[in-house]
Amino acid sequence: MKKITLLFFLATLSVLAQKTKKPNIILVLADDISAREFPIYKSDTWSSVKGNKDSKDPKIRAKTPVLDKLAKEGMYVKTAWASVVCSPSRAMLMTGRYPHLHKWWGNSTIGQYTDEDGNLGAYPLFASSPLTIGIIAKKGGYATMWSGKTQMRNKNLQNFGFDEGVFTPGEAAITEIGENPYSNFRLEQKKENGKKELINLDTGKPLDFSYYPSSSWYWKPGVMLMNHPSSKQQFEWWPNTKESKKEYGVNTYGPDVELDFIFDFMERKVKEDKPFFVYHTTHLGHASMNYLNPKQHEYKWIETPKITYKDGKYTREEPNITGEKGVYDTHNSLSASGIHSHVNYLDYQMSLYLEKLKELNIDDNTLIIFCADNGSSKYGKNSPDSQKGTHVPFMVYGPGFDFTKKGEQDVLMNLSDILPTIAEIAGVKIPEDYEINGVSMMPFLTTEKKTHRDWVYGYKDNMQLIRGTNVLKDGMDKWYDVREYPSDLISFPEINDWEKADKELVKERDYLNEILPRFNKFDEAQNGPLSEAHKKKIAKDIARKAAQKLAKKAAKSGKNKNKKSSKKNKKD
């Protein structure tokens, strides 16, 4: 009896000790996955295997028992919005701001600036918005780690406030450490016989289909370390030890490498008794070149390691890939192609997170946030149509927190809300003169507050998207009645006649229209600080592109006229 009492006492002390410390924070950002791909969102429609059409086939429906648990025992937001595509969404999340401040309007419309050396380049987030999410966590006393995709358009990854980093496939702009010597799963633009061709370095042959220069982040991935204890310099290619070099090869899977390094970081910080913040920007969900079978390029989501879920547990089959130079045999050791396999593997990785937290005895003092950066490829990615591009999953799980909300929450939230939420948890006060567009979720999560915010915002280049609880305006200036969700989460009725619309719809439309001008700065303030010479250069480039566009339009119009004339002559 005394032994049982002592054990109970020690367990109670352990829980109390966890609750008196700052909570650890794990932020997982999935890549290009709409809310509809997750069963918890109850859509009757999801992406097909190739992503080129919608599907209702239950055989390719993702199964997510672990994420379902997180959403039900924690909470998930019914209407969470990002931007419509990767870079601007990550900018929103990492700065807590909209593009009138951070200047990342779209993947191809990132603001320019004149750097300290007088060069013209992409305006980095740490320059436009010095209080990035990593900096906020550091100010709160957290050890910080960034693992996965970067896409920051510049080489200064050390300026984002992260103590350590594991970047897949690595940032090409960091040239001082040279090309990755370990992976030939790369596509490089080369000039052959006066013609530019995209060469697969694994086969040595040009691609016979359209793609873009890139390195693998899945199989045989490029991996770049930043400030890892095993590294001899700030940035270093991995594998970087005798043991890791021996194990690395075609069976090495990038998302596994990311998580292995995260767990290594977590273990070290627990030993140091230091709270940690992990920013895990997984590639899972993103399309990729299939180096294992280049002929299957129509299948956007390549195979993952094979996993099975039985009796409340996952088992993972070791990949068994053999071959070389574009001819490989997977020996049926991998999953099927499709976004559902990527979502399933995310669920498996979330189960590993829960196991690791329990093993380290920090499960009651760790907050997990799970979300995605934009809609699924071929469906929502880069789409300004309705909320196809902006509607993403958002879940919060913290069993040791006294949250007042549980399960589905029919409220609105933006990815910009994550930074101020983390600031509040970390005890970091953001200066009043520093504009933040996000709203901390802590008042909603910890009180009886019924709503979180009145509207959410998205953007693509010069297009603005906004929605409230009743109406939505998309990037093409179409308005929708969003008072009720349709079964596919997207087929909202369009409002064409405002004179016949309900008063509550008109009232909210007018309210949202008053908000939009605050952020509609694309034409007048697209860029950061520029020298006079660079202002003139950019103005000249804009004029040249406009002239080229008009010339193409005129040429197309001329061709159409000739076709019509030719048809008329044939009839005559």
Side-chain angles (χ1 to χ4, degrees):
M1 185 68 185
K2 284 183 179 178
K3 190 175 181 180
I4 294 171
T5 305
L6 179 62
L7 287 171
F8 177 76
F9 177 70
L10 291 173
T12 305
L13 276 182
S14 174
V15 172
L16 288 172
Q18 284 193 44
K19 290 196 174 186
T20 57
K21 295 176 184 176
K22 281 191 176 181
N24 307 299
I25 304 168
I26 297 169
L27 170 56
V28 180
L29 180 68
D31 203 351
D32 298 352
I33 311 183
S34 295
R36 74 173 191 165
E37 313 296 349
F38 294 84
I40 195 73
Y41 280 88
K42 307 178 189 72
S43 175
D44 65 3
T45 309
W46 42 88
S47 294
S48 64
V49 170
K50 290 184 180 179
N52 56 341
K53 59 184 178 180
D54 291 340
S55 175
K56 294 178 184 286
D57 184 354
K59 291 178 183 176
I60 58 168
R61 183 51 157 158
K63 294 176 177 63
T64 56
V66 177
L67 283 165
D68 290 354
K69 168 189 164 75
L70 266 60
K72 290 173 183 175
E73 295 181 9
M75 77 96 189
Y76 67 106
V77 172
K78 195 172 178 179
T79 307
W81 265 33
S83 177
V84 301
V85 75
C86 313
S87 292
S89 275
R90 289 160 197 272
M92 184 199 289
L93 187 156
M94 293 179 73
T95 67
R97 294 171 144 189
Y98 298 146
H100 67 296
L101 295 171
H102 63 60
K103 309 300 183 186
W104 287 32
W105 309 86
N107 270 5
S108 58
T109 50
I110 289 173
Q112 302 286 292
Y113 89 125
T114 304
D115 67 19
E116 58 272 15
D117 297 321
N119 300 314
L120 184 65
Y123 195 22
L125 298 179
F126 57 76
S128 69
S129 309
L131 292 180
T132 54
I133 202 163
I135 296 291
I136 289 288
K138 285 290 289 177
K139 285 179 177 290
Y142 282 75
T144 54
M145 184 197 194
W146 183 357
S147 182
K149 181 176 180 176
T150 52
Q151 205 174 34
M152 287 294 101
R153 311 301 177 103
N154 67 82
K155 62 188 284 184
N156 299 306
L157 294 176
Q158 72 278 9
N159 290 350
F160 287 93
F162 291 94
D163 299 321
E164 296 181 28
V166 179
F167 306 129
T168 51
E171 195 69 57
I174 302 173
T175 55
E176 57 263 34
I177 64 172
E179 289 285 356
N180 183 344
Y182 304 113
S183 179
N184 58 351
F185 277 20
R186 283 207 311 276
L187 301 178
E188 279 191 6
Q189 197 92 57
K190 292 188 176 181
K191 206 167 187 180
E192 302 281 344
N193 302 319
K195 188 174 81 170
K196 280 185 180 179
E197 291 185 316
L198 196 59
I199 307 296
N200 180 350
L201 297 189
D202 183 44
T203 63
K205 298 175 182 177
L207 294 190
D208 57 1
F209 55 90
S210 178
Y211 217 77
Y212 55 93
S214 57
S215 300
S216 175
W217 48 79
Y218 289 130
W219 298 104
K220 202 177 182 182
V223 181
M224 179 183 284
L225 304 181
M226 180 180 76
N227 297 332
H228 190 265
S230 67
S231 301
K232 295 182 178 66
Q233 54 188 347
Q234 186 174 36
F235 292 98
E236 186 171 272
W237 290 113
W238 180 89
N240 65 338
T241 64
K242 188 176 180 180
E243 185 182 353
S244 59
K245 286 176 183 176
K246 186 179 177 182
E247 292 176 355
Y248 180 83
V250 71
N251 287 289
T252 303
Y253 189 57
D256 291 339
V257 176
E258 293 166 9
L259 201 57
D260 286 344
F261 275 102
I262 288 170
F263 288 170
D264 166 64
F265 173 79
M266 286 165 54
E267 287 169 2
R268 286 186 279 113
K269 297 310 145 187
V270 169
K271 282 181 183 176
E272 295 169 15
D273 198 27
K274 191 169 181 66
F276 60 77
F277 168 57
V278 170
Y279 180 40
H280 184 183
T281 50
T282 176
H283 284 275
L284 285 165
H286 200 287
S288 173
M289 166 71 186
N290 193 338
Y291 293 91
L292 301 180
N293 193 346
K295 291 179 182 178
Q296 286 194 332
H297 59 87
E298 290 182 359
Y299 292 84
K300 298 186 71 64
W301 300 286
I302 68 172
E303 304 90 331
T304 74
K306 191 179 282 186
I307 54 171
T308 53
Y309 186 79
K310 190 177 179 182
D311 299 328
K313 275 193 168 186
Y314 274 108
T315 55
R316 175 186 177 276
E317 186 176 325
E318 280 298 316
N320 182 22
I321 305 165
T322 57
E324 62 178 355
K325 296 182 179 178
V327 182
Y328 296 95
D329 188 345
T330 66
H331 302 282
N332 196 33
S333 65
L334 304 185
S335 74
S337 299
I339 197 170
H340 65 293
S341 292
H342 282 225
V343 175
N344 292 344
Y345 207 78
L346 273 169
D347 198 67
Y348 161 69
Q349 289 207 322
M350 296 312 295
S351 77
L352 297 182
Y353 265 118
L354 295 183
E355 288 172 13
K356 178 56 71 172
L357 294 176
K358 194 169 184 180
E359 175 196 317
L360 296 174
N361 197 31
I362 54 173
D363 49 325
D364 275 347
N365 197 43
T366 301
L367 184 73
I368 297 175
I369 300 171
F370 180 92
C371 55
D373 62 348
N374 51 256
S376 304
S377 189
K378 294 281 188 179
Y379 163 72
K381 183 175 182 177
N382 221 8
S383 173
D385 179 16
S386 185
Q387 61 173 22
K388 284 182 178 180
T390 55
H391 190 206
V392 294
F394 182 83
M395 307 173 194
V396 176
Y397 179 74
F401 292 73
D402 296 323
F403 289 149
T404 54
K405 307 299 188 296
K406 190 175 183 180
E408 183 185 82
Q409 301 300 313
D410 191 4
V411 296
L412 305 172
M413 76 81 58
N414 248 156
L415 289 196
S416 58
D417 300 341
I418 294 174
L419 183 142
T421 302
I422 288 175
E424 187 165 346
I425 293 168
V428 176
K429 186 169 174 56
I430 297 169
E432 289 184 12
D433 60 350
Y434 185 87
E435 183 179 342
I436 288 286
N437 304 122
V439 179
S440 171
M441 294 197 73
M442 290 307 284
F444 173 73
L445 291 171
T446 59
T447 70
E448 297 305 316
K449 201 166 179 264
K450 300 296 183 188
T451 60
H452 170 53
R453 55 186 299 164
D454 296 331
W455 52 270
V456 285
Y457 181 76
Y459 44 92
K460 179 190 177 182
D461 307 333
N462 62 345
M463 300 179 188
Q464 291 185 294
L465 299 85
I466 194 168
R467 75 162 280 176
T469 54
N470 299 320
V471 297
L472 177 158
K473 186 196 86 70
D474 73 7
M476 278 100 60
D477 293 330
K478 292 179 181 178
W479 288 86
Y480 298 89
D481 179 346
V482 294
R483 287 175 292 186
E484 290 188 15
Y485 260 101
S487 61
D488 64 356
L489 308 186
I490 197 65
S491 299
F492 299 107
E494 187 178 349
I495 305 169
N496 293 309
D497 189 346
W498 282 102
E499 289 186 5
K500 294 179 181 178
D502 292 350
K503 286 182 181 179
E504 67 176 349
L505 302 183
V506 176
K507 184 180 178 181
E508 189 170 82
R509 178 204 63 178
D510 294 343
Y511 168 63
L512 297 180
N513 273 330
E514 287 176 7
I515 292 165
L516 287 172
R518 287 166 47 193
F519 311 121
N520 189 17
K521 306 294 182 185
F522 182 83
D523 292 330
E524 63 189 82
Q526 183 181 343
N527 299 297
L530 293 165
S531 67
E532 286 303 315
H534 286 152
K535 284 179 185 177
K536 289 177 183 176
K537 181 184 183 305
I538 288 173
K540 191 175 178 181
D541 288 344
I542 291 170
R544 177 177 52 79
K545 286 176 183 177
Q548 287 174 344
K549 196 174 180 180
L550 283 171
K552 280 183 182 178
K553 193 174 180 181
K556 190 176 180 181
S557 177
K559 282 182 183 178
N560 290 337
K561 282 181 182 178
N562 289 337
K563 280 182 182 178
K564 286 178 182 177
S565 177
S566 176
K567 283 181 181 179
K568 189 179 179 184
N569 290 336
K570 282 180 181 179
K571 283 181 182 178
D572 294 341

